[in-house]
Amino acid sequence: AVEGVDYEAPSGVVVIPAGETSAMIPVKPIMNAARAEDVTLQVSLNAGLYDESADPVTVTIHDFTIPSDSCVWMGDSGVDNNASTAANWYQSKLPTKDDKILLAVFSPSNIVWDAGVNGLPDTVASWEQTVDYTGTVTFKTVYPVDGTEDAFTNFTVTGNCLVNGGKWTSLANGDGEVYRINATVGGNLTVGERGTISVQGKGYAPGKFPAGSAIGAHAATYSGNFSHIYGDVYAPTRIGSGGHGNAASCGGGAIRLTVAGAAVIDGTLDAQSSTQTSASKPNPEKGVGAGGSIFVTASSISGNGTVIASAYESNGTSYSSEAGSGGRIALVATVGAVTIPNGNLKCSGSFGGNGV
């Protein structure tokens, strides 16, 4: 084994605590796609003050075979983190609609799924993010608009989809509804405990909202003017309005998941408004953006995860008449039932808002 190639350089010092007879020596392997065999590392103890000797210990670093039936994300092109860049994939194999996608221990790099560029499809055979993957997948899916039939409006997984690690998100919106997560799964969907689908703060920018509405409005409104409320209670797909401009709080984005099989949510679905980024917050609750939308349809929906489309609370202690509205959540089971605990579904407005 070669230091810096097969394993990270150790500190060089191991302390055996008083009264103990041993200590652990951590060996952290390095992912090396060019190495295709097991390698060994020999650890020996030099005689010291106590003149103790011990036989050398041999550690084997096993080759981790990259699955040959999958397109594996490496993210090491050195150019960008776009999925449409072939050099970002193992052996420069750009995915096709018939491929299995694997995001795992091989690379923690973020990825932008920019379907339509360089022939990158908007459909794949299956999708798996293991618990070892810690990056973020950004889908450039957009709302459908007349005259843009070729736009990337929906990401489709024809088989099973597993998000056991890392995060899915969308691009951020500004003064209009352009981007959201919109995905169709032909098999089962699993969002594991360490997996997240989040569009927190991806809604309207601060001070922006749909025509006829108001700052911080969505499922409710601080103004008490019910004409400012928008969106569908049963099929919510809208993003949340931005908060007061001085507070720089964006509304929550939108998540739409259509699953033919079962959906198991043990992780998090998040469409909260963003935290406030203003350096000066004389009233931390003033100007909070509204929560966005989460709409999931599946044969059954279960799990112990969190589904949240609330207006983000910065501290929950300051009253304001310009608090943000909660968003909307709709979980629809077409065959079985929705068994996620009610306490795990959160869709509240921020503290002190009138009409929220």
Side-chain angles (χ1 to χ4, degrees):
V2 179
E3 181 180 300
V5 175
D6 299 303
Y7 65 95
E8 294 184 0
S11 64
V13 177
V14 177
V15 177
I16 301 177
E20 301 291 334
T21 59
S22 63
M24 295 295 294
I25 301 175
V27 177
K28 187 174 182 180
I30 295 174
M31 291 303 304
N32 183 356
R35 179 80 77 176
E37 69 278 341
D38 294 349
V39 293
T40 58
L41 169 66
Q42 191 173 79
V43 181
S44 59
L45 179 66
N46 295 328
L49 177 63
Y50 300 101
D51 197 27
E52 295 288 340
S53 61
D55 293 332
V57 175
T58 299
V59 177
T60 300
I61 301 175
H62 292 285
D63 173 48
F64 193 100
T65 304
I66 294 179
S68 60
D69 64 344
S70 299
C71 273
V72 180
W73 175 252
M74 305 301 289
D76 56 359
S77 70
V79 177
D80 53 39
N81 60 347
N82 294 335
S84 61
T85 299
N88 280 325
W89 297 92
Y90 180 60
Q91 295 184 335
S92 296
K93 183 182 185 300
L94 193 70
T96 70
K97 65 181 180 61
D98 299 316
D99 282 323
K100 301 176 181 179
I101 305 301
L102 179 61
L103 283 66
V105 66
F106 310 107
S107 174
S109 299
N110 298 334
I111 174 173
V112 176
W113 197 272
D114 51 342
V117 179
N118 294 334
L120 183 73
D122 59 8
T123 300
V124 296
S126 67
W127 183 282
E128 181 178 5
Q129 290 173 220
T130 70
V131 294
D132 301 298
Y133 181 70
T134 57
T136 297
V137 182
T138 301
F139 291 98
K140 299 181 73 171
T141 42
V142 298
Y143 283 91
V145 177
D146 290 341
T148 58
E149 288 74 13
D150 294 333
F152 181 25
T153 58
N154 183 66
F155 179 67
T156 300
V157 180
T158 55
N160 294 329
C161 180
L162 291 81
V163 184
N164 286 323
K167 181 172 73 173
W168 281 15
T169 192
S170 71
L171 293 176
N173 289 280
D175 60 359
E177 291 178 300
V178 179
Y179 303 106
R180 63 170 175 169
I181 287 180
N182 187 30
T184 299
V185 178
N188 299 321
L189 168 67
T190 300
V191 181
E193 293 182 1
R194 293 166 61 178
T196 302
I197 298 179
S198 175
V199 288
Q200 182 180 5
K202 302 295 186 179
Y204 280 100
K208 304 298 182 181
F209 48 86
S213 188
I215 287 173
H218 187 182
T221 177
Y222 75 86
S223 68
N225 184 341
F226 292 111
S227 68
H228 293 163
I229 297 172
Y230 61 94
D232 192 319
V233 174
Y234 302 103
T237 59
R238 306 290 298 275
I239 61 177
S241 294
H244 191 279
N246 293 334
S249 178
C250 301
I255 298 170
R256 175 66 174 113
L257 303 173
T258 305
V259 185
V264 180
I265 311 299
D266 285 320
T268 303
L269 306 185
D270 185 354
Q272 295 180 92
S273 56
S274 68
T275 59
Q276 297 173 347
T277 59
S278 173
S280 175
K281 303 178 191 174
N283 186 341
E285 298 303 327
K286 186 174 183 179
V288 176
S293 297
I294 299 175
F295 182 17
V296 182
T297 304
S299 63
S300 63
I301 304 175
S302 62
N304 292 302
T306 299
V307 182
I308 182 168
S310 299
Y312 185 86
E313 291 275 349
S314 56
N315 64 15
T317 60
S318 300
Y319 181 87
S320 170
S321 62
E322 294 186 11
S325 161
R328 300 186 186 275
I329 295 173
L331 305 180
V332 180
T334 58
V335 178
V338 177
T339 59
I340 295 177
N342 288 338
N344 294 13
L345 310 179
K346 303 177 182 181
C347 200
S348 61
S350 60
F351 184 80
N354 295 333
V356 177

